[in-house]
Every structure is written in C-alpha cells, then in structure tokens.
Amino acid sequence: MPMFFSLDTMFPRLVDIFLNASGSNARSSYSNFWKLINRFKAPLKNVCYSTNWELDTIAEPENTLTECLQACSPTMVTLYYGNNTRPQSVNKAPIEFTMCPRLVDLCLEFFGSRLKLDNILDNCPVLKKLVLKCKLLFLSREATKNSAVPHGLESIVLTRIKTTTTVFSYLSLRCKDLNSMRLKFIKVRGLVSPTTGSLCIDMPFTHFKLLRIVHSTFSLHKHQYDQTNVDDKEHHFSYSPQLINLLTIQYTAPPENHDSPDDVSTETPSEQSVSQLWFHFYLDLSQRIPGSKSQLLTPEEVNYAQMHFESFKERNRILRGSSDQRPGNYCWHPKRSWKNDLVHGRVLLNCRGLDEYHIKGVRTKGCYSESDVSY
C-alpha cells in the first residue's frame, strides 16, 4: 500500500473490474483495495463484485458496497453486486444508496438486507434496468414527496423479496417507461377490499411488453396497517398468510382496426375496450416439492367468478386463517377445485396494456422459455 500511494497516477484506462471476495477475514483487504481505487480515481464503468464470505466473518456486505460506491459512483455505468452469505443478523438498517449519475444497469443480490426502492431511483437518475434480490423491498417515508418526479426505468426483476402492493403503484406512477417486469419467488401482501374482494395492484401507467410471474405468492394482511413503511412493521410478515389464488389482469385492449402504431385513438378511457385475463393458482403434485401452477379460466368460469365478486359485498366471507390450512396443504387447492378459492378474494392487477405474459407456466405464444432469465 505505501508503494501504491507514493505514485502520482495509476489505472488511467481501467474500465472493467471483476472482483471475487471470499474467506473469513476479507473486509480489511478489500477495503484497502477500494481505498486504492478511490485514491487514484480510476474511470471505472463496469463493476462485477461478488462476495462469498464464511458465516463467521466480520465483513459486512453493506459496508463493502458503500466503499465500492464511494470509489466508482461518478463514472460507473453497470454494477453487479452479489452476496451469497446468509447473515447471522437480519435486523440491519436499510442500505442507503449513494448518487450514481451514470448508472444504467444495476443488479443487487443481498440475502438478509432491506432496500428502499425510492432511494435507488432518486440516486440513479438514468437507470434503465434494475435487478434486486433481498429480504425486503419497501418505500421510505419520504417517497410521497418525489412520487411525481419522472424516472426512465424500463425493466425490473424482483427475486426472493417480500414486499407490498404500494411498491408497485409507486413504480407505475414514477416510471412510466417501464415495460418489463419479472417476479420470481416473491411474496406480495396487501389489503383485500371488503366490498369488492380485490387485493388491488394498481399500475395504470404501465404498458407491459413482457410480464412474468413465476413461483410467487399473494396474500392478505391480518392487520390493518400502513403498508408504505413496511420496514417498521416487518414482524407482520411472520404471520401465517392466507394466500389469494385468483389473479385478474385488467388492461386496456388495443383498437381492433388501426393502420399503424402512430395512430392515436380518439376514444376516451371510459370508451376504450377493457380486457381481462383470469388465472387460478392450484396445487401441482407432479413436482418433486409440491408447488403451484396456474390455469387460465375459460369464459364460462370467468362469468361464474365475475358474478361471485359482483355480490362480494353481500357475501363478505373472506376466510382469514381458515381451518383447512393444515401442514402439507400448501394453501393451494387441486386444479378442479378453483371455486373454493373465490371466498378468499382475488388479486386485481390493473395496467395500461399487456403484450406478452408468463404466469406460473401459462404463457402467450412466443414468450421466452424458463431458461431465459437475467443474471
């Protein structure tokens, strides 16, 4: 280190860094490395930083991310940070992202950490692609102040995350260029309306070129609380959830006879044709570990379901912790028993448009395969 710091200049053309930190006493060594990079102001654009420390290490992945950002944030365009160590402490403060004015592509993988979506968007103003894997994704208390500030995010991938419906509404309101969303192994919770029976995921400004929902679950809250600051109420996620196994995707259908994509419809939103797709998540026993798949309801089944929810206010029979949820039931019914899930309500995903989808095994023709994933 003394030799390096005696130099006046170093790494004038260093653009890419691929770093793998491992072992049990890695923090001091890699902290010195980032101090070195920061000292000589290397013009880094692409950073791939993977940490794989032993469980008893004193190194904190959040700290090394901060050191990496301090050294690279002014010039960085692409950042992948992956940490595969399951932390011993899970009650950590949320990660605070720093300003990255040129960052376009961001992938963060933290098993035990919490992230604030608005903090990332505020500090990455030109971000186009966002891939996150963490314990909890939520909005800070200041999120409403900048919700009207537009952001150009186009694609988001969420994996193994617990979150709430308000995160998606915020995402749609602020990121109106968003056209691709992939949800993998995530848990989404919200409140079911006692009058409509719907857990609403409202994304009215989003036209999906691709929507992918795989191995993800939706459930209702047992307690009425502010979902915006879910980090303050994190213990509620420890309750056994009541899964909602009906999903309705509602979107504005494109005009039937348009000559070109540049044609602008003169119809008002109330006059435009609204389409719905109804999916049912059912128990799939063919897998090695039983899980859920989806089926697309037929027109006759859709009519039956619509009649049920039209009179939901009178029925008002949402089962909040029904007696049939025994170990081994997995909270899913067999495929033929989809009507049994009507009483638990439905997830209503409202968006502006939908081109292609892949919902737990049901996909549009030409939709990419299971192996086509990011990172």
Side-chain angles (χ1 to χ4, degrees):
M1 292 296 294
M3 181 196 69
F4 280 122
F5 281 110
S6 67
L7 301 177
D8 293 329
T9 181
M10 193 178 179
F11 312 131
R13 290 181 293 275
L14 182 60
V15 175
D16 305 320
I17 279 188
F18 298 87
L19 187 64
N20 183 16
S22 60
S24 59
N25 297 308
R27 180 179 177 183
S28 59
S29 299
Y30 289 97
S31 293
N32 287 337
F33 174 80
W34 289 118
K35 290 176 182 177
L36 183 67
I37 295 296
N38 194 23
R39 162 69 172 79
F40 290 102
K41 305 300 180 185
L44 293 174
K45 290 185 177 181
N46 306 303
V47 178
C48 181
Y49 189 16
S50 177
T51 60
N52 193 21
W53 291 315
E54 297 175 7
L55 289 177
D56 60 348
T57 181
I58 61 173
E60 294 285 352
E62 294 84 1
N63 294 338
T64 53
L65 173 62
T66 300
E67 294 165 349
C68 171
L69 292 174
Q70 290 173 347
C72 309
S73 59
T75 58
M76 191 165 49
V77 176
T78 301
L79 170 62
Y80 166 80
Y81 189 105
N83 176 262
N84 296 318
T85 304
R86 295 187 180 274
Q88 295 176 332
S89 174
V90 295
N91 297 317
K92 298 179 179 179
I95 295 176
E96 293 291 338
F97 222 77
T98 56
M99 179 59 69
C100 298
R102 300 183 181 182
L103 190 62
V104 175
D105 197 336
L106 172 63
C107 178
L108 297 178
E109 297 184 353
F110 289 95
F111 268 107
S113 300
R114 298 181 288 168
L115 296 171
K116 294 182 285 189
L117 178 62
D118 55 301
N119 175 254
I120 294 176
L121 296 179
D122 290 344
N123 289 286
C124 305
V126 298
L127 191 66
K128 296 297 182 183
K129 185 175 182 179
L130 178 61
V131 180
L132 298 177
K133 180 190 293 185
C134 63
K135 180 182 180 182
L136 198 66
L137 181 67
F138 63 99
L139 303 175
S140 68
R141 297 184 183 277
E142 295 75 27
T144 55
K145 298 179 182 179
N146 55 18
S147 59
V149 179
H151 194 283
L153 186 70
E154 297 177 356
S155 173
I156 188 168
V157 181
L158 303 179
T159 304
R160 299 190 183 280
I161 287 175
K162 295 177 181 179
T163 189
T164 58
T165 55
T166 53
V167 166
F168 298 97
S169 299
Y170 177 87
L171 189 64
S172 179
L173 177 62
R174 189 167 182 188
C175 306
K176 297 180 180 178
D177 292 331
L178 183 71
N179 58 64
S180 176
M181 184 168 74
R182 309 181 189 187
L183 309 179
K184 302 183 291 184
F185 296 95
I186 77 164
K187 297 179 180 179
V188 182
R189 290 197 179 181
L191 301 176
V192 174
S193 168
T195 57
T196 65
S198 298
L199 184 154
C200 189
I201 300 178
D202 197 21
M203 304 186 72
F205 304 103
T206 306
H207 185 124
F208 289 111
K209 293 181 180 178
L210 177 61
L211 174 64
R212 185 176 191 235
I213 302 175
V214 180
H215 301 299
S216 299
T217 58
F218 304 88
S219 58
L220 59 89
H221 286 297
K222 284 183 174 291
H223 298 269
Q224 305 285 330
Y225 65 84
D226 180 12
Q227 300 176 69
T228 302
N229 301 299
V230 70
D231 59 318
D232 296 333
K233 310 292 191 300
E234 185 180 342
H235 60 277
H236 284 293
F237 275 105
S238 64
Y239 287 97
S240 177
Q242 170 60 64
L243 295 189
I244 302 173
N245 294 326
L246 285 167
L247 168 65
T248 304
I249 301 179
Q250 180 173 284
Y251 60 98
T252 304
E256 295 182 0
N257 48 358
H258 57 279
D259 297 327
S260 70
D262 297 329
D263 289 345
V264 179
S265 175
T266 58
E267 297 178 344
T268 63
S270 59
E271 296 172 336
Q272 292 176 347
S273 174
V274 176
S275 295
Q276 288 187 347
L277 295 169
W278 287 69
F279 300 88
H280 173 243
F281 305 147
Y282 64 91
L283 182 63
D284 179 25
L285 296 174
S286 65
Q287 304 180 50
R288 184 179 62 177
I289 300 177
S292 71
K293 280 190 176 180
S294 71
Q295 59 178 330
L296 190 62
L297 297 188
T298 66
E300 293 77 13
E301 293 170 335
V302 169
N303 289 335
Y304 184 93
Q306 287 175 333
M307 291 177 60
H308 175 90
F309 287 106
E310 286 173 0
S311 59
F312 195 88
K313 182 177 180 180
E314 289 74 21
R315 299 171 185 268
N316 198 17
R317 292 183 302 169
I318 300 178
L319 301 182
R320 301 174 182 268
S322 64
S323 59
D324 65 347
Q325 291 190 45
R326 296 182 298 272
N329 193 7
Y330 302 100
C331 300
W332 296 298
H333 290 288
K335 185 175 183 180
R336 64 182 179 276
S337 303
W338 66 274
K339 292 181 181 179
N340 294 343
D341 282 312
L342 291 172
V343 294
H344 301 302
R346 65 166 175 171
V347 178
L348 176 60
L349 173 57
N350 178 47
C351 59
R352 187 162 61 90
L354 179 65
D355 295 342
E356 292 189 3
Y357 62 83
H358 180 186
I359 310 296
K360 289 194 176 185
V362 178
R363 68 186 75 182
T364 51
K365 184 178 180 181
C367 194
Y368 61 88
S369 65
E370 286 280 358
S371 60
D372 182 16
V373 295
S374 298
Y375 296 102

